[in-house]
Amino acid sequence: MRKLLFILLVIPFLSMGQSENNAKTIHVFVALCDNVNQGIVPVPKKLGNGQDVNSNLYWGAMYGVKAYFKRSKDWVLLSTTLNPKENILERLLFKHKMSNTYLLADAYNGKYIRQTTIDFLEANAGNNGIKIEYNSNELCFGGDANLLSYVGHDGLMEFEVEGRFTPSNTSKRDAIILACISKNYFKSYLEKTQSNPLVWTTGLMAPEAYTLKSAIDGWILNETDLQIRERAAQAYHKYQKCGIRGARNLLVTGY
């Protein structure tokens, strides 16, 4: 009886350790909205300060990545790190409440949108892996993440980038790119990385976090690419009131 009780008590802890090691990971690269340093139609000064994480349109504002995921009933914020590396102003680690999925979100200084783009694309090629310690377990992000996302202005409309975009391994990675006309401007780069474009855009859009979260919801459930894209389109229509047909034309999947 004592032996049975010991097994029943120990197994859950063993399972917790094993599940942490088999975690699914998501890394979100956010180029903070910046009226001064990006080729965007200016937004209110408070929202368009690319050096202020607290009120930035894509981070601290109501539908920014930080604010939206912090309010979500599906995610819990585990840690906040200021200036974890050069060009990154804030880093957040979230855990999904109902699955063994972790999300790392980086807020890049809006002045360095070019570097944000390079880091995102190099990660899609499997480069620049990042290890985060949590609960005595090692979580893998950067080029070792399962899903990578870019959120912000499409800087490739103004500049080209160079980097290590040749795949460093054969691991499968998915990508979500929430930026204006991202399929057109990111396609040649993403083809080099051989990442799978789960959701990207054909026109102008508001890269707000409800679209990202809805797509991730489907990804966590292992839905098909088309089902995930449909979730993203439904969310975009709900908040933007653009019509579901328009949302489906805007948010697409695959090459």
Side-chain angles (χ1 to χ4, degrees):
M1 183 66 180
R2 288 183 179 179
K3 184 176 181 181
L4 176 61
L5 180 60
F6 174 78
I7 292 172
L8 291 174
L9 289 172
V10 169
I11 284 177
F13 290 98
L14 292 176
S15 298
M16 284 174 63
Q18 291 169 351
S19 63
E20 294 289 339
N21 291 332
N22 294 322
K24 295 175 70 174
T25 56
I26 305 163
H27 194 157
V28 182
F29 297 74
V30 180
L32 294 185
C33 181
D34 195 315
N35 285 337
V36 175
N37 298 294
Q38 297 173 10
I40 63 173
V41 176
V43 299
K45 185 176 180 180
K46 186 177 180 180
L47 300 175
N49 182 344
Q51 292 70 53
D52 180 8
V53 293
N54 294 319
S55 60
N56 193 271
L57 182 61
Y58 302 145
W59 191 256
M62 180 176 288
Y63 298 127
V65 169
K66 176 181 180 177
Y68 195 80
F69 276 83
K70 281 184 69 175
R71 291 198 314 273
S72 171
K73 62 180 176 57
D74 299 323
W75 294 87
V76 59
L77 178 62
L78 300 178
S79 66
T80 301
T81 306
L82 299 179
N83 305 114
K85 61 177 292 188
E86 188 177 6
N87 304 330
I88 299 176
L89 301 179
E90 189 170 48
R91 169 173 285 171
L92 307 178
L93 178 64
F94 291 92
K95 184 184 185 303
H96 191 253
K97 292 181 180 179
M98 301 302 291
S99 72
N100 192 34
T101 305
Y102 292 83
L103 184 151
L104 191 72
D106 282 335
Y108 278 73
N109 185 329
K111 182 178 180 180
Y112 301 105
I113 186 173
R114 182 191 294 268
Q115 190 60 51
T116 315
T117 306
I118 292 171
D119 288 355
F120 167 71
L121 290 170
E122 288 193 336
N124 271 274
N127 294 310
N128 308 330
I130 297 172
K131 309 296 183 185
I132 301 289
E133 293 290 332
Y134 177 71
N135 267 0
S136 300
N137 289 284
E138 194 172 68
L139 303 171
C140 301
F141 298 99
D144 295 323
N146 306 114
L147 172 63
L148 299 150
S149 178
Y150 174 88
V151 174
H153 172 60
D154 187 348
L156 294 177
M157 292 192 286
E158 285 104 43
F159 55 73
E160 296 181 352
V161 293
E162 294 182 356
R164 295 178 300 150
F165 304 149
T166 300
S168 63
N169 54 55
T170 58
S171 297
K172 179 182 180 295
R173 282 170 287 273
D174 292 316
I176 296 173
I177 308 177
L178 299 184
C180 293
I181 326 176
S182 57
K183 181 175 182 179
N184 184 35
Y185 286 94
F186 277 82
K187 182 178 180 181
S188 61
Y189 295 104
L190 214 62
E191 285 178 331
K192 290 179 183 177
T193 70
Q194 296 182 21
S195 195
N196 173 48
L198 198 56
V199 178
W200 51 2
T201 66
T202 60
L204 303 179
M205 64 98 63
E208 295 180 323
Y210 43 80
T211 307
L212 176 64
K213 181 189 176 297
S214 294
I216 288 174
D217 288 346
W219 182 83
I220 289 173
L221 293 172
N222 294 314
E223 292 181 347
T224 67
D225 292 5
L226 285 174
Q227 288 173 320
I228 293 169
R229 171 262 193 163
E230 179 63 17
R231 281 180 178 264
Q234 291 287 349
Y236 196 79
H237 164 56
K238 175 182 176 181
Y239 285 87
Q240 292 293 321
K241 312 298 183 190
C242 59
I244 188 59
R245 179 177 296 180
R248 287 170 179 155
N249 288 336
L250 172 65
L251 294 157
V252 296
T253 186
Y255 289 103

